[in-house]
Amino acid sequence: MTTKATDKLEIIKKHHYVWAHYLRQWSASDDIWYISSKGGNIRCDSIYGRSQDLHFYKVTPLDEEDVKFIKRLPTSDSPIVKKFHTSQLEYFRKISVLINTPATLKGIASEKDLEELKKISEWASNNSLEKTYTAIELLARPIMDELWKGNASCLNIRSNMVAFCNYLAHQLARTKKMRDRSFELMNKVNQDNELWIEHVRLFEKNWWFIAYKMGINLGFGLEQSADTTNHILIRNTTSIDFITSDHPVINVHQCAQNGATDKVVDKLDLYYPLSPKLAFMMNDSEHYNHLRHFVNEEDVINLNRLMANRSHKNIYGSSEQALKDVRKSYRNLKA
C-alpha cells in the first residue's frame, strides 16, 4: 500500500497562546494548579490543556479587501520593519492560495486529488501561524534558559536581546485576552455607523494577522529602546511565590494602573514572571528599580495582585496552597 505524502501531515488544531514550556516552571510535572477566574475554583490539569483554544491561530484566506485593510493599519516608521511586514503579508497571501485551492479546483480535479488538496488546505490554515509562533519561542529558548538560571547577562549580546524582545512582544500581543479586549473596545464605538461596522468586521476577520503585526512592531520598539530602558531581574527570596496567568506579560507602569479609561497609556513598565522565584522587567520608569536589589513580601503581593487583576480566564500557581492564598487576597480584584 502506497503512503501518500499528506499522510505525514500533522494538523495542529489546539493552539496555545501561552508557551506550555513556560508554564512548566510552575510545575514539577506536566500538571499545573490554576484558578478559574470566573468562579475562583482551584483545579489541577495538564499544562497542555491550559491557555489554548481550538483553531485559535487559524489563518483565514486573505482577499484584496483584507490586504488593503491590513495595509491601512498603523505600522512602524522603520524601513526594515515595513519590509518585513510586506514579506510576511506576501507569505500569508501564498498560504491563502493553498487554503483556497480545493474550492477553485472543485469540479475539475478528481475526488481523490481533492481530498489530498483539502488536507493540505487544512494544514496550511491551522499550522502556518502556530508554527511561526513556535519558531519565535524556539529562538528565545536559549535566552529563557539562562534567565531561568538567574543569568540576565545573556541579554548583553544584541542578538539575544532581539530574540527576547520579539518573544516578549508576541507573548503580549497574541493572547486571548488581547483579542477579546480589542474586540470589546471596537464594538463599543459607532455601532450605528455602517463604515465602522465594516471596519470592525475586517478587524475581527483578520485579527490573526493584526496581532502578529502588533507583536512585530512592539518587538522592534522594545529592542530599539533596550539601551535606555531599565532591565530588572527580580530574585524572589520571600516565602510567597510569584504567580502567572493566561496573559503573562503586563504593563505595570503607573499610567496603566487604577483602571482609568481616560488615561493615555504611553509608557511601558513590562512585568513578566519567569518562575515562582524569578521575574523580569523592562521599564521606561525607575519606579521598580529597587527590586533589583531587594524584594520583600509586600513587593511580591503587589506584583501578584497586578498579575491576577490583568489575567483573563486563568491564574497559575506553584501549588494549591499558593492559589488559596491568591484567591483569598485577589478574588474580588478582577476588573
Side-chain angles (χ1 to χ4, degrees):
M1 185 175 181
T2 305
T3 302
K4 302 189 291 287
T6 53
D7 289 341
K8 298 180 180 179
L9 289 180
E10 178 190 2
I11 297 171
I12 304 171
K13 297 181 180 180
K14 292 182 178 180
H15 298 162
H16 288 80
Y17 44 89
V18 178
W19 191 15
H21 184 67
Y22 162 76
L23 292 179
R24 191 176 286 112
Q25 305 305 312
W26 276 263
S27 173
S29 64
D30 283 339
D31 293 333
I32 191 168
W33 288 100
Y34 69 97
I35 290 180
S36 170
S37 300
K38 283 186 176 180
N41 297 316
I42 299 175
R43 299 185 177 92
C44 190
D45 193 9
S46 168
I47 287 170
Y48 299 101
R50 298 290 92 217
S51 296
Q52 58 87 14
D53 232 347
L54 285 174
H55 312 294
F56 187 70
Y57 296 128
K58 188 172 183 178
V59 172
T60 55
L62 295 168
D63 58 28
E64 290 306 313
E65 186 180 33
D66 298 321
V67 172
K68 288 178 182 177
F69 176 76
I70 289 169
K71 286 182 176 180
R72 289 199 303 268
L73 294 174
T75 187
S76 170
D77 292 331
S78 165
I80 296 173
V81 176
K82 287 181 179 179
K83 184 177 180 180
F84 188 66
H85 282 161
T86 300
S87 70
Q88 292 302 283
L89 191 56
E90 185 58 30
Y91 167 73
F92 283 109
R93 290 183 77 171
K94 291 176 180 176
I95 292 295
S96 298
V97 173
L98 277 179
I99 297 170
N100 286 330
T101 296
T104 60
L105 294 180
K106 192 173 182 179
I108 300 174
S110 67
E111 286 299 316
K112 182 179 178 181
D113 287 341
L114 274 179
E115 286 303 310
E116 293 288 286
L117 290 170
K118 285 178 182 177
K119 190 162 186 180
I120 293 171
S121 171
E122 191 177 1
W123 178 90
S125 181
N126 282 283
N127 287 35
S128 300
L129 187 56
E130 168 70 10
K131 288 291 188 182
T132 299
Y133 283 130
T134 298
I136 291 167
E137 291 165 352
L138 290 175
L139 286 171
R141 175 68 185 270
I143 299 95
M144 291 294 290
D145 285 342
E146 289 301 310
L147 291 175
W148 281 321
K149 295 175 186 176
N151 175 26
S153 64
C154 64
L155 294 174
N156 294 333
I157 301 171
R158 200 67 187 184
S159 59
N160 286 349
M161 179 60 78
V162 170
F164 180 68
C165 288
N166 194 39
Y167 162 77
L168 202 67
H170 281 290
Q171 181 56 90
L172 189 155
R174 65 187 268 199
T175 64
K176 192 171 185 178
K177 178 177 181 176
M178 181 64 80
R179 185 198 69 178
D180 291 356
R181 182 63 175 154
S182 297
F183 288 2
E184 179 186 339
L185 292 173
M186 293 286 287
N187 281 291
K188 282 183 177 178
V189 182
N190 294 328
Q191 294 183 16
D192 296 328
N193 185 304
E194 289 186 8
L195 287 176
W196 183 256
I197 291 171
E198 177 64 7
H199 183 85
V200 171
R201 183 188 73 81
L202 289 169
F203 185 84
E204 293 183 351
K205 178 187 176 186
N206 295 293
W207 172 254
W208 61 270
F209 190 87
I210 293 168
Y212 177 52
K213 184 176 182 179
M214 283 169 51
I216 293 169
N217 289 343
L218 178 58
F220 180 78
L222 290 177
E223 185 270 323
Q224 289 294 292
S225 62
D227 293 334
T228 57
T229 51
N230 294 293
H231 302 165
I232 305 169
L233 180 67
I234 306 173
R235 302 175 190 273
N236 178 7
T237 57
T238 75
S239 61
I240 305 172
D241 286 346
F242 287 134
I243 61 169
T244 191
S245 81
D246 51 4
H247 186 70
V249 181
I250 59 173
N251 182 13
V252 296
H253 194 281
Q254 295 299 296
C255 72
Q257 294 189 38
N258 303 320
T261 56
D262 57 342
K263 286 186 177 181
V264 176
V265 179
D266 57 355
K267 297 292 183 180
L268 291 177
D269 284 352
L270 290 184
Y271 169 67
Y272 183 49
L274 296 166
S275 73
K277 295 301 181 185
L278 288 168
F280 192 81
M281 302 189 79
M282 295 185 70
N283 300 341
D284 287 332
S285 82
E286 298 181 357
H287 182 75
Y288 298 96
N289 280 9
H290 66 283
L291 298 180
R292 65 163 55 96
H293 305 297
F294 178 76
V295 179
N296 59 34
E297 290 189 353
E298 185 180 349
D299 294 320
V300 177
I301 288 170
N302 181 56
L303 290 169
N304 280 351
R305 177 184 62 81
L306 292 168
M307 179 57 62
N309 199 35
R310 308 290 177 82
S311 67
H312 187 44
K313 302 293 184 182
N314 292 145
I315 301 165
Y316 301 110
S318 55
S319 67
E320 183 178 14
Q321 185 57 50
L323 290 181
K324 285 181 178 179
D325 293 340
V326 168
R327 182 173 62 184
K328 181 180 178 181
S329 301
Y330 314 120
R331 191 172 186 176
N332 298 319
L333 291 175
K334 283 295 293 174

